[in-house]
Amino acid sequence: MKIKSVLAAAMVALMTVGTAQAKSLVVYFSRADENYSVGTITEGNTAILAKMIAQKTGADSFEIVPEKAYPKNYRECTDVAKDEQKKNARPAYKGDIDTAPYDTIYLGYPIWWGDLPMVVYTFLEKHDLNGKTIVPFCTHEGSGVSGTDSSLKKMYKGATVKKALAMRGSTAQNKRKEAEKSLDEWLTK
């Protein structure tokens, strides 16, 4: 098991070295506090994966942090998320990053009501990712990728959208070795 992890990490390192000119960026939105299936947490499920990806690939990272925090209570948060989705809202986020220098964008998000959280759409609509490679990854508790990879392909017809990694948040949160193994396999494809 350990040898497979070392080999996967070496393959990722070789891929990174082989593209010395290429720059990668991990952009992600994640939410801690009370979450379905994992209880109250201090680090969001998607953030765990985002940090692993950045560490393994040497990518820079940018966390999408909403200007107005989502409620800490899970049910209240899902109500806000559903309302934002109904209204096709574009919540503001703090800070920003210039995506122009990056060739590959790893894009991470939880699945909320079968879609990207609206604050992620705010980020995406602000940045032209055409001509880039977009590598989506998401956390969920049973809905899988929910077609969000297809949404990204429609949004950025001039980008290459790779196969998404969809992982249960409970796996990312509570089974880190299993999560890392899946992540290593996905990164080498």
Side-chain angles (χ1 to χ4, degrees), residues 97-111:
I97 189 162
D98 180 8
T99 58
Y102 297 97
D103 303 295
T104 300
I105 308 291
Y106 292 91
L107 180 66
Y109 47 88
I111 298 295

Side-chain angles (χ1 to χ4, degrees), residues 122-133:
T122 305
F123 178 88
L124 292 173
E125 290 173 1
K126 189 173 181 180
H127 297 276
D128 182 4
L129 302 182
N130 284 301
K132 300 186 183 302
T133 299

Side-chain angles (χ1 to χ4, degrees), residues 81-186:
K82 190 172 203 167
D83 186 57
E84 285 179 352
Q85 195 177 62
K86 268 188 190 170
K87 294 176 179 174
N88 202 26
R90 294 298 184 262
Y93 60 89
K94 299 176 184 179
D96 207 5
I97 189 162
D98 180 8
T99 58
Y102 297 97
D103 303 295
T104 300
I105 308 291
Y106 292 91
L107 180 66
Y109 47 88
I111 298 295
W112 283 6
W113 296 105
D115 201 356
L116 301 164
M118 296 296 105
V119 72
V120 176
Y121 279 112
T122 305
F123 178 88
L124 292 173
E125 290 173 1
K126 189 173 181 180
H127 297 276
D128 182 4
L129 302 182
N130 284 301
K132 300 186 183 302
T133 299
I134 303 171
V135 189
F137 63 98
C138 67
T139 54
H140 64 91
E141 281 308 326
S143 58
V145 75
S146 289
T148 55
D149 50 350
S150 296
S151 297
L152 292 168
K153 287 176 185 176
K154 288 177 189 169
M155 186 178 275
Y156 297 111
K157 289 180 175 32
T160 300
V161 179
K162 297 286 192 170
K163 181 174 173 39
L165 171 70
M167 185 179 294
R168 287 187 178 269
S170 55
T171 300
Q173 193 66 233
N174 299 322
K175 299 175 184 174
R176 304 277 172 105
K177 287 186 186 216
E178 183 180 325
E180 186 171 15
K181 181 180 179 230
S182 295
L183 188 69
D184 286 341
E185 290 170 4
W186 172 72

